[in-house]
């Protein structure tokens, strides 16, 4: 049984600390630029978070905190002994408390990073799905709740509804979304929040819908004389009119409230003095601790439905700016801070203090701190990942997409590894070559279903708890949200998973916000974008990607690779899986193609280098696919990646026939080659002295060839490889796709976009002509 008076005492201290944390940040005098913070948004969440942390959740539960309420979270963690006092004055400061909750940057580690509106709202939903998957495959863990605290304006984000509607998230009874229904957005009081419509949306998706609308004081009044008239009168008030009551007192509030009121409401109001009337009519459920606890407990009684709680609140509740339509980013003045401090019974000597350890609030805070904490995760599982899953492919024609499917299917049989791989796709499993994997491992469903589509179907689609593929609807946002949470399974659920997702490469951009979110959370996963580029010629411009290679190379915490040959896919995928469990590991993005390539050039390189050396080169980022050492002829270095290898080789052959020495360097990972080059000069900049560290690029282009011009060709934007010439200090012609595609043959599209073999030859001859040929 919770002691409401103790909770109320903690609630008031949390409100003060959250308010003062923001105030202190804006009084550091670091610059003329406002530091910012959201005192009003914090205030509306204080009651909800106090009830949740001190009266409902336990140590195994995970919570995503509303972004603007981060000071409330820090205040709670401080009171429970999980945050040092020194951090309270470091909000939005380097090395201090982050602007928004961060599981990677904050000292009191959050369960989920929030800040990108709408993403934190559903991250715990996908974490709950991950927990269900882990329980079904590795045995049940202790019960855990997953809670998202969101502002009502976050429900404007489309990704929220995509997640709610996806069949994969249905029935997750351990998830609750608490909506801070303060009826304000950034700039105004929302005229019509349409809460009834929102409730119907959730209910129609199979959710349990609860609300904490009116506090128990108002509910008692509704049940008494003239109570129905009072409810009708309040319900009929516009949001703007109701919000304005919080800034009024005495006769001004009475007059405003009773405008257009009938006789019954007038009689009820006459039975209350001015102070009691304000206390009564502003008694919202989102600030009633007892009601909130009852509502949260009610959600626990619906184990087969996710729940949503609409908690009606006032932005700025308990502060002088309560209900002000422009209070979103408002900061209390020094005089207002002094008044609030005094009202809390504090002074400057004790304003940052915790509760006395022997007090009722102090004992409760200590008990919560010993339970709801952030223990170090157990060591990651490190199953043995083979260097390759299949024998080297040295003949025939194979696309990298085909190779991916075959390698993954082979990995399903690797003991200790296969059972930890989980795949997912937004309704593109078959067209991204996951069919072999699915036939071996099955489709995941918490309950067994018979919807395999007939005995004669080639794909065994029979969802069951043992399946290892999670099929999503057509939502790339959901794909990356799920990958992100599967990739945190070790941290959140103490069980290592190796998540792999597939998506049509151009639609990586549709899920980019969630992709970035997963990486920012330090999640580890593999995503395969396929097919890519204009080489997917007949499909037309809507399905041809051009800028995704740049996205892969630019995102932190992500390794991007673009293989050309089947065995490269094998080596890179095995290395990527191993990286998911390595202490220094990261996520991987494989950009693949449906274009079948002759494997003979790879076989020649394999014979020249040997298996061990070539594998190391492929993983390091590239190798010399056509090796033509410098001689007395004019020369050029052609740099290519992925599906453009045939054009690069054909151009080299034609140049050779014209007396030009043409080496072809194939970058299996332009990203790793760039990082290697950048690391070499970054050390020089850091140490302020010349540090000659050879980069992978300089190993691929030896000194004798570094006077040759570069021609790069990529089935992506030309700038993705355009840095190479400057890195080597030679002229470069960068060929790539710098326009939208269209339908046609591969030859048509390569010619139209200037990445054909002929285009490479022309660029090479121009590049050589730009040199003084006498030098050769």
């Amino acid at each position: 049984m919770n002691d409401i008076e103790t909770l109320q005492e903690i609630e008031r201290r949390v409100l003060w600390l959250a308010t003062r944390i923001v105030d202190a940040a804006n009084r550091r005098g670091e610059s003329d630029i406002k530091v910012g913070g959201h005192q009003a948004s914090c205030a509306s969440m204080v009651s909800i978070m106090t009830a949740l942390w001190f009266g409902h959740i336990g140590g195994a539960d995970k919570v995503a905190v509303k972004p603007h309420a981060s000071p409330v979270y820090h205040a709670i963690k401080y009171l429970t002994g999980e945050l040092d006092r020194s951090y309270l004055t470091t909000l939005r400061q380097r090395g201090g408390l982050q602007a928004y909750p961060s599981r990677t940057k904050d000292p009191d580690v959050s369960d989920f990073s929030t800040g990108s509106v709408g993403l934190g709202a559903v991250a715990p939903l996908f974490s709950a799905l991950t927990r269900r998957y882990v329980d079904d495959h590795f045995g049940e863990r202790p019960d855990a709740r997953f809670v998202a605290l969101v502002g009502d304006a976050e429900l404007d984000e489309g990704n929220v509804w995509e997640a709610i509607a996806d069949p994969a998230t249905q029935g997750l009874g351990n998830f609750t979304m608490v909506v801070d229904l303060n009826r304000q957005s950034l700039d105004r009081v929302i005229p019509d929040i349409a809460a009834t419509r929102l409730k119907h949306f959730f209910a129609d998706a199979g959710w349990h819908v609860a609300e904490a609308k009116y506090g128990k004081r108002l509910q008692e009044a509704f049940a008494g004389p003239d109570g129905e008239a009072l409810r009708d009168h309040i319900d009929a008030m516009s949001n703007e009119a109701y919000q304005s009551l919080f800034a009024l007192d005495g006769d001004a509030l009475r007059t405003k409230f009773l405008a257009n009121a009938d006789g019954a409401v007038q009689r009820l109001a006459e039975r209350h003095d001015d102070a009691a009337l304000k206390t009564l009519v502003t008694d919202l459920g989102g600030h009633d601790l007892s009601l909130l606890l009852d509502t949260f407990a009610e959600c626990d009684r619906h184990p087969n439905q996710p729940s949503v709680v609409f908690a009606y609140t006032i932005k700025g509740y308990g502060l002088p700016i309560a209900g002000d339509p422009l209070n979103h980013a408002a900061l209390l003045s020094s005089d207002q801070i002094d008044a609030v401090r005094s009202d809390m019974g504090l002074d400057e000597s004790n304003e940052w203090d915790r509760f006395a350890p022997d007090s009722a609030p102090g004992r409760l805070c200590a008990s919560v701190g010993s339970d709801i904490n952030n223990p170090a995760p157990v060591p990651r599982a490190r199953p043995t990942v083979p260097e390759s899953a299949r024998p080297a492919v040295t003949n025939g024609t194979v696309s990298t997409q085909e190779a991916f499917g075959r390698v993954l299917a082979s990995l399903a049989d690797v003991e200790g590894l296969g059972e930890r791989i989980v795949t997912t796709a937004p309704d593109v499993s078959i067209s991204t070559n996951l069919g072999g994997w699915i036939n071996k491992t099955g489709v995941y469903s918490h309950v067994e279903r018979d919807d395999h589509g007939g005995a004669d179907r080639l794909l065994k689609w029979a969802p069951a708890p043992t399946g290892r593929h999670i099929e999503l609807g057509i939502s790339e946002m959901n794909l990356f949200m799920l990958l992100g949470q599967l990739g945190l399974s070790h941290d959140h659920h103490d069980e290592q998973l190796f998540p792999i997702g597939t998506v049509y490469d151009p639609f990586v951009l549709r899920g980019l916000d969630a992709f970035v979110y997963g990486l920012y959370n330090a999640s580890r996963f593999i995503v395969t974008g396929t097919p890519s580029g204009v080489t997917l010629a007949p499909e037309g411009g809507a399905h041809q990607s051009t800028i995704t290679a740049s996205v892969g190379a630019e995102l932190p915490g992500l390794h991007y690779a673009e293989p050309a040959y089947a065995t490269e896919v094998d080596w890179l995928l095995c290395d990527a899986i191993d990286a998911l469990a390595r202490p220094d590991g990261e996520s991987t993005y494989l950009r693949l193609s449906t274009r079948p390539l002759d494997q003979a050039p790879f076989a020649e390189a394999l014979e020249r280098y040997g298996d061990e050396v070539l594998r190391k080169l492929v993983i390091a980022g590239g190798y010399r696919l056509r090796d033509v050492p410098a001689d007395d002829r004019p020369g050029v270095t052609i740099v290519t990646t992925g599906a453009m290898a045939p054009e690069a080789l054909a151009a080299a052959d034609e140049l050779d026939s014209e007396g030009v020495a043409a080496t072809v360097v194939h970058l299996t990972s332009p990203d790793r080659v760039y990082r290697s080059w950048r690391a070499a000069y970054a050390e020089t900049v850091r140490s302020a002295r010349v540090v000659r560290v050879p980069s992978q690029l300089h190993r691929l282009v030896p000194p004798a060839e570094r006077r040759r011009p570069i021609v790069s060709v990529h089935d992506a934007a030309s700038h993705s490889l355009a840095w190479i010439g400057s890195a080597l200090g030679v002229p470069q012609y960068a060929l790539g796709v710098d326009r939208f595609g269209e339908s046609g043959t591969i030859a048509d599209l390569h010619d139209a976009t200037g990445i054909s073999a002929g285009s490479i030859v022309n660029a090479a001859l121009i590049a050589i002509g730009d040199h003084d040929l006498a030098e050769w």
Side-chain angles (χ1 to χ4, degrees), residues 137-157:
H137 287 80
F138 301 98
E140 291 192 6
R141 269 60 183 157
D143 289 341
R145 304 180 185 93
F146 297 85
V147 181
L149 305 177
V150 306
D152 48 20
E154 284 196 77
L155 298 183
D156 290 343
E157 289 288 352

Side-chain angles (χ1 to χ4, degrees), residues 52-213:
L52 196 65
W53 257 270
F54 296 96
H56 185 65
I57 62 174
D61 300 335
K62 307 294 181 187
V63 184
V65 176
K66 170 183 162 183
H68 290 162
S70 64
V72 181
Y73 174 79
H74 299 311
I76 289 172
K77 288 293 182 176
Y78 169 65
L79 290 176
T80 58
E82 299 168 75
L83 180 69
D84 190 77
R85 176 172 173 166
S86 62
Y87 282 105
L88 298 183
T89 56
T90 67
L91 180 68
R92 301 191 173 204
Q93 191 175 44
R94 183 179 179 182
L97 303 176
Q98 299 300 297
Y100 306 115
S102 171
R103 69 174 304 275
T104 58
K105 308 291 185 182
D106 271 320
D108 48 346
V109 181
S110 305
D111 296 321
F112 305 91
S113 298
T114 57
S116 295
V117 176
L119 300 182
V122 297
L125 179 63
F126 287 102
S127 187
L129 172 57
T130 300
R131 182 58 159 252
R132 184 163 70 182
Y133 180 93
V134 166
D135 285 351
D136 283 339
H137 287 80
F138 301 98
E140 291 192 6
R141 269 60 183 157
D143 289 341
R145 304 180 185 93
F146 297 85
V147 181
L149 305 177
V150 306
D152 48 20
E154 284 196 77
L155 298 183
D156 290 343
E157 289 288 352
N159 79 282
V160 174
W161 302 105
E162 291 180 37
I164 288 168
D166 200 294
T169 64
Q170 301 307 296
L172 292 168
N174 56 350
F175 175 77
T176 300
M177 179 183 290
V178 183
V179 181
D180 173 18
L181 201 67
N182 60 43
R183 292 158 292 185
Q184 283 186 239
S185 61
L186 271 65
D187 301 320
R188 62 196 173 100
V189 176
I190 300 171
D192 179 14
I193 190 59
T196 301
R197 180 167 57 92
L198 292 173
K199 293 170 190 174
H200 283 307
F201 286 166
F202 281 99
D204 290 345
W207 286 45
H208 165 64
V209 179
E211 69 174 9
K213 184 173 185 179

Side-chain angles (χ1 to χ4, degrees), residues 253-323:
L253 178 138
R254 185 178 295 271
T255 300
K256 180 76 172 181
F257 177 68
L258 294 177
N260 303 315
D262 63 17
V265 177
Q266 297 275 359
R267 288 194 302 272
L268 187 148
E270 289 172 1
R271 298 196 292 270
H272 295 76
D273 63 26
D274 289 343
L277 182 63
K278 180 172 183 177
T279 298
L280 176 64
V281 301
T282 59
D283 182 32
L284 288 178
H287 300 296
D288 186 321
L289 294 170
S290 177
L291 177 63
L292 287 167
L293 291 171
D294 290 346
T295 307
F296 295 155
E298 177 195 345
C299 294
D300 285 347
R301 294 191 287 271
H302 293 264
N304 298 314
Q305 292 175 283
S307 294
V308 59
V309 174
F310 287 93
Y312 286 70
T313 64
I314 287 295
K315 206 165 190 173
Y317 183 78
L319 300 178
I321 54 176

